[in-house]
Short mmCIF file of all heavy atoms in Angstrom, two decimals:
data_model
loop_
_atom_site.label_atom_id
_atom_site.label_comp_id
_atom_site.label_asym_id
_atom_site.label_seq_id
_atom_site.Cartn_x
_atom_site.Cartn_y
_atom_site.Cartn_z
N ASP A 247 -1.51 6.82 1.77
CA ASP A 247 -2.82 7.43 1.89
C ASP A 247 -3.24 7.40 3.33
O ASP A 247 -3.79 8.36 3.89
CB ASP A 247 -3.80 6.67 0.98
CG ASP A 247 -5.11 7.44 0.82
OD1 ASP A 247 -5.14 8.67 0.97
OD2 ASP A 247 -6.13 6.82 0.55
N GLU A 248 -3.00 6.28 3.99
CA GLU A 248 -3.40 6.13 5.39
C GLU A 248 -2.53 7.02 6.33
O GLU A 248 -2.99 7.39 7.36
CB GLU A 248 -3.31 4.71 5.81
CG GLU A 248 -4.42 3.82 5.21
CD GLU A 248 -4.74 2.60 6.07
OE1 GLU A 248 -4.00 2.36 7.05
OE2 GLU A 248 -5.69 1.90 5.79
N ALA A 249 -1.31 7.24 5.88
CA ALA A 249 -0.42 8.01 6.73
C ALA A 249 -0.67 9.50 6.63
O ALA A 249 -0.10 10.30 7.37
CB ALA A 249 1.05 7.74 6.36
N ALA A 250 -1.48 9.93 5.64
CA ALA A 250 -1.71 11.35 5.46
C ALA A 250 -2.33 11.97 6.71
O ALA A 250 -3.18 11.41 7.34
CB ALA A 250 -2.69 11.57 4.23
N SER A 251 -1.81 13.17 7.05
CA SER A 251 -2.29 13.82 8.23
C SER A 251 -2.79 15.25 7.92
O SER A 251 -3.94 15.60 8.21
CB SER A 251 -1.23 13.87 9.34
OG SER A 251 -0.08 14.56 8.80
N VAL A 252 -1.91 16.04 7.27
CA VAL A 252 -2.29 17.41 7.01
C VAL A 252 -3.46 17.54 5.99
O VAL A 252 -4.31 18.35 6.13
CB VAL A 252 -1.05 18.21 6.46
CG1 VAL A 252 -1.44 19.59 6.02
CG2 VAL A 252 0.02 18.28 7.55
N ALA A 253 -3.48 16.62 5.02
CA ALA A 253 -4.55 16.63 4.06
C ALA A 253 -5.89 16.41 4.71
O ALA A 253 -6.92 16.97 4.26
CB ALA A 253 -4.30 15.60 2.98
N ALA A 254 -5.94 15.63 5.78
CA ALA A 254 -7.14 15.28 6.43
C ALA A 254 -7.53 16.37 7.47
O ALA A 254 -8.68 16.51 7.83
CB ALA A 254 -7.02 13.94 7.15
N ASN A 255 -6.53 17.15 7.94
CA ASN A 255 -6.74 18.16 8.91
C ASN A 255 -6.07 19.46 8.45
O ASN A 255 -4.94 19.76 8.89
CB ASN A 255 -6.16 17.74 10.27
CG ASN A 255 -6.81 16.47 10.76
OD1 ASN A 255 -7.97 16.46 11.21
ND2 ASN A 255 -6.09 15.35 10.75
N PRO A 256 -6.72 20.18 7.55
CA PRO A 256 -6.09 21.41 7.01
C PRO A 256 -5.68 22.38 8.09
O PRO A 256 -6.47 22.64 9.00
CB PRO A 256 -7.18 22.01 6.13
CG PRO A 256 -8.07 20.84 5.81
CD PRO A 256 -8.04 19.95 7.02
N PRO A 257 -4.45 22.88 8.08
CA PRO A 257 -4.01 23.82 9.11
C PRO A 257 -4.66 25.17 8.94
O PRO A 257 -4.94 25.62 7.81
CB PRO A 257 -2.48 23.95 8.83
CG PRO A 257 -2.35 23.65 7.37
CD PRO A 257 -3.43 22.61 7.06
N ASP A 258 -5.03 25.79 10.05
CA ASP A 258 -5.61 27.15 9.98
C ASP A 258 -5.24 27.86 11.29
O ASP A 258 -6.08 28.01 12.20
CB ASP A 258 -7.14 27.08 9.80
CG ASP A 258 -7.73 28.43 9.50
OD1 ASP A 258 -6.92 29.42 9.43
OD2 ASP A 258 -8.93 28.55 9.27
N SER A 259 -4.00 28.25 11.40
CA SER A 259 -3.52 28.96 12.61
C SER A 259 -3.87 30.44 12.58
O SER A 259 -3.71 31.12 13.61
CB SER A 259 -1.99 28.79 12.68
OG SER A 259 -1.36 29.54 11.67
N GLY A 260 -4.28 30.93 11.43
CA GLY A 260 -4.51 32.34 11.26
C GLY A 260 -3.36 33.05 10.60
O GLY A 260 -3.49 34.14 10.10
N ASP A 261 -2.21 32.36 10.58
CA ASP A 261 -1.00 32.93 9.93
C ASP A 261 -0.72 32.11 8.70
O ASP A 261 -0.43 30.88 8.76
CB ASP A 261 0.16 32.86 10.88
CG ASP A 261 1.42 33.46 10.26
OD1 ASP A 261 1.54 34.72 10.20
OD2 ASP A 261 2.28 32.70 9.79
N LEU A 262 -0.81 32.71 7.55
CA LEU A 262 -0.65 31.98 6.30
C LEU A 262 0.66 31.34 6.11
O LEU A 262 0.79 30.16 5.69
CB LEU A 262 -0.97 32.91 5.10
CG LEU A 262 -0.85 32.29 3.69
CD1 LEU A 262 -1.81 31.14 3.56
CD2 LEU A 262 -1.17 33.36 2.62
N ALA A 263 1.73 32.03 6.44
CA ALA A 263 3.08 31.47 6.28
C ALA A 263 3.29 30.23 7.14
O ALA A 263 3.84 29.25 6.70
CB ALA A 263 4.14 32.53 6.62
N THR A 264 2.74 30.26 8.35
CA THR A 264 2.85 29.14 9.26
C THR A 264 2.13 27.92 8.70
O THR A 264 2.62 26.79 8.75
CB THR A 264 2.25 29.51 10.65
OG1 THR A 264 3.07 30.54 11.22
CG2 THR A 264 2.24 28.31 11.57
N ASP A 265 0.94 28.16 8.14
CA ASP A 265 0.15 27.07 7.61
C ASP A 265 0.79 26.51 6.33
O ASP A 265 0.76 25.27 6.10
CB ASP A 265 -1.28 27.51 7.31
CG ASP A 265 -2.01 27.90 8.64
OD1 ASP A 265 -1.51 27.47 9.70
OD2 ASP A 265 -3.01 28.60 8.57
N LEU A 266 1.32 27.36 5.50
CA LEU A 266 2.04 26.90 4.28
C LEU A 266 3.24 26.06 4.69
O LEU A 266 3.53 25.01 4.06
CB LEU A 266 2.47 28.05 3.43
CG LEU A 266 1.33 28.81 2.70
CD1 LEU A 266 1.85 30.02 1.98
CD2 LEU A 266 0.57 27.92 1.77
#
Side-chain angles (χ1 to χ4, degrees):
D247 194 24
E248 289 206 351
S251 59
V252 174
N255 301 288
D258 191 359
S259 68
D261 181 78
L262 180 57
T264 296
D265 295 342
L266 290 176

